[in-house]
Amino acid sequence: MNDSNGSDTHPTPSGLAEEIQLLRDLAAQTARRDDIQQRAFDQLYEELKQYKNDFIFQAEKPLLLDLLLFFDSLSWFQQSVIQKEMSPEVTADSFQYLMDEFLELLYRRDVTPLEGRRTFERSTQKAIKVLPTDDPKKDWRVENVTKRGFTRGDRLLRPDEVVLHRYSGEPATEKASDQDRIRGGSDE
């Protein structure tokens, strides 16, 4: 085969060998580069994994240490009760100390108990029992809180669980909508 000026374009065996060697060198170079990149990626992945594990440990460590201190207090209290070292008054005071210590642990995590509201509020309270009343002044009044609710910052973690009074002198049609209000509403 001839090109436009009439010379032969077939490669010579030595030229072909050089091109094959160049291709081999290029393939070997690419393989080395890919291997280096893979090792670098693997190393970065391992470092990220270690950082993540250490980050989680460091984030949890203060809470875990607080829980261990609380565990120590519970263990002391348990031993004192078992050995009958305390009078009933001291036992009650010690138990209140444990409650206060646990609340302090929650406060350090920005977890606070809800303020007890005497009038039912659906956004922060959950009615678990309804007591009928003939007194309209007690309508929607909270009789007692059976389980305390908590927030973290401005977010509700758990609502108060309450026993609620309901005035029983209402027409039946309003009672259904009241039940919706207690449960969280059917219109949402």
Side-chain angles (χ1 to χ4, degrees):
M1 185 182 261
N2 293 337
D3 63 8
S4 62
N5 55 3
S7 65
D8 191 4
T9 59
H10 294 296
T12 63
S14 64
L16 191 55
E18 286 178 19
E19 286 185 35
I20 290 173
Q21 187 58 43
L22 283 173
L23 288 173
R24 284 183 182 157
D25 291 346
L26 184 59
Q29 201 176 37
T30 302
R32 283 192 301 272
R33 187 184 66 216
D34 288 348
D35 187 46
I36 291 169
Q37 284 179 340
Q38 185 62 43
R39 281 185 284 164
F41 177 77
D42 291 345
Q43 182 180 0
L44 286 173
Y45 181 77
E46 271 306 307
E47 289 174 8
L48 181 61
K49 185 176 169 185
Q50 288 173 352
Y51 173 76
K52 177 184 164 194
N53 289 340
D54 190 52
F55 177 79
I56 291 170
F57 176 76
Q58 292 301 326
E60 290 178 335
K61 187 177 179 180
L63 174 63
L64 295 174
L65 290 174
D66 281 345
L67 289 173
L68 290 174
L69 286 172
F70 187 68
F71 176 79
D72 293 341
S73 296
L74 288 174
S75 296
W76 165 82
F77 183 73
Q78 178 188 34
Q79 287 302 313
S80 297
V81 169
I82 289 171
Q83 296 172 2
K84 299 179 182 175
E85 296 176 348
M86 299 184 287
S87 68
E89 296 82 22
V90 173
T91 301
D93 288 344
S94 296
F95 192 75
Q96 184 59 50
Y97 170 78
L98 290 173
M99 294 291 291
D100 293 342
E101 186 177 354
F102 192 76
L103 282 174
E104 179 61 32
L105 187 149
L106 293 174
Y107 287 137
R108 286 195 293 269
R109 301 292 172 279
D110 196 27
V111 175
T112 56
L114 290 171
E115 295 179 21
R117 292 205 159 79
R118 299 308 305 163
T119 302
F120 182 73
E121 187 173 321
R122 187 176 76 180
S123 63
T124 59
Q125 294 175 325
K126 176 182 174 184
I128 60 166
K129 185 175 181 181
V130 177
L131 301 175
T133 182
D134 294 329
D135 184 358
K137 291 179 183 177
K138 287 187 174 182
D139 196 26
W140 294 110
R141 300 291 289 173
V142 173
E143 171 67 21
N144 67 321
V145 177
T146 60
K147 196 178 281 187
R148 205 161 179 192
F150 290 88
T151 62
R152 181 162 192 214
D154 60 353
R155 298 175 74 183
L156 183 67
L157 289 173
R158 180 177 80 184
D160 281 335
E161 291 186 3
V162 299
V163 176
L164 178 65
H165 284 285
R166 286 299 298 142
Y167 178 59
S168 57
E170 300 177 3
T173 56
E174 288 182 343
K175 286 186 181 181
S177 64
D178 289 343
Q179 288 300 321
D180 288 342
R181 180 176 170 199
I182 290 168
R183 287 189 196 108
S186 61
D187 57 331
E188 292 179 357

